[in-house]
Amino acid sequence: MKVIKIIIILSATTFLFVKTSFSKNIQTNTYDNEFEAILFDFVKVDNALDKILSNPNSKISAEELICAKNDMEKIALKQRAMLIDLKVDKENLKYFKLMKLYSNKIRVKLLKVKKLISQKNTPKYRMSPSNKKSKGKELIILNKNFIEINKSLDEALKASNKVSASSKWLYIANSGKK
């Protein structure tokens, strides 16, 4: 009878030990997937900005910038959740360093886009409409588009600042732990 009790106790402790180590492995893999998902989002935004910068003569739409802003806000939310929930260790330092580098890279690219837009939309000559009736309408439409693009670009820069701040905090929190 004692042998059966000992076997049951040993099997229960073995089961609990295996279960806890298995759940730790699952949690690590989940975080690895979250890291990779965030890095994938960074690459997606970076490629969109590269597309804008590679074609300086093409029209820049506010929708492209709003899409980039939305992606950066999603990244910032994921990073904040990760900052709250994550148990940091040295193994994840490479992911946090990449996040920090990408956030800085995206911010620089957004500033380049802002410079490109300001150079592009500053006319060096007086715009001459094709006829007198459309003069006011064309100028108003151009001005509205310029205001909309600048507004969406400013929002994207604010989102970039949020992402940059959360990336820096994740990197600092992780690199400080021994």
Side-chain angles (χ1 to χ4, degrees):
M1 190 72 164
K2 285 184 177 182
V3 174
I4 294 175
K5 288 182 182 178
I6 293 173
I7 291 174
I8 291 174
I9 292 172
L10 286 175
S11 63
T13 32
T14 306
F15 176 74
L16 289 175
F17 178 72
V18 169
K19 185 178 179 182
T20 56
S21 67
F22 182 71
S23 65
K24 287 180 185 175
N25 289 338
I26 289 174
Q27 187 176 15
T28 304
N29 290 337
T30 304
Y31 283 135
D32 285 343
N33 292 336
E34 287 180 28
F35 292 141
E36 291 169 4
I38 290 173
L39 290 174
F40 178 75
D41 291 340
F42 272 121
V43 170
K44 183 177 162 185
V45 172
D46 187 41
N47 288 339
L49 293 175
D50 279 339
K51 182 181 173 187
I52 292 171
L53 288 172
S54 66
N55 299 325
N57 295 330
S58 67
K59 252 188 162 181
I60 299 171
S61 69
E63 289 82 24
E64 292 173 331
L65 296 172
I66 289 171
C67 183
K69 177 198 72 121
N70 291 339
D71 287 342
M72 285 186 286
E73 286 178 351
K74 289 177 188 175
I75 292 170
L77 286 174
K78 288 178 185 178
Q79 285 180 332
R80 284 188 203 123
M82 191 179 291
L83 187 60
I84 293 169
D85 296 338
L86 186 67
K87 296 174 184 167
V88 292
D89 57 356
K90 290 288 186 182
E91 293 176 8
N92 298 328
L93 186 62
K94 62 182 177 182
Y95 292 114
F96 295 123
K97 189 172 185 177
L98 279 172
M99 287 180 203
K100 184 179 162 207
L101 292 172
Y102 261 116
S103 65
N104 291 336
K105 184 178 180 182
I106 287 173
R107 178 157 169 60
V108 167
K109 286 186 180 183
L110 282 171
L111 291 173
K112 285 181 182 179
V113 169
K114 186 168 184 136
K115 184 179 178 183
L116 178 72
I117 288 173
S118 66
Q119 288 175 352
K120 191 179 199 181
N121 289 323
T122 306
K124 298 189 176 21
Y125 55 89
R126 184 168 180 253
M127 296 173 54
S128 59
S130 57
N131 60 22
K132 292 181 182 181
K133 292 180 182 178
S134 65
K135 177 182 178 182
K137 290 180 184 177
E138 286 178 8
L139 294 176
I140 289 173
I141 290 172
L142 286 174
N143 194 25
K144 283 183 180 180
N145 288 341
F146 180 70
I147 290 171
E148 184 179 342
I149 289 171
N150 275 334
K151 182 180 175 185
S152 61
L153 186 59
D154 289 339
E155 290 173 357
L157 280 168
K158 286 179 186 176
S160 172
N161 288 337
K162 290 177 187 177
V163 168
S164 181
S166 58
S167 296
K168 286 177 186 174
W169 276 111
L170 281 168
Y171 182 73
I172 290 169
N174 195 28
S175 64
K177 183 146 179 154
K178 294 180 181 178

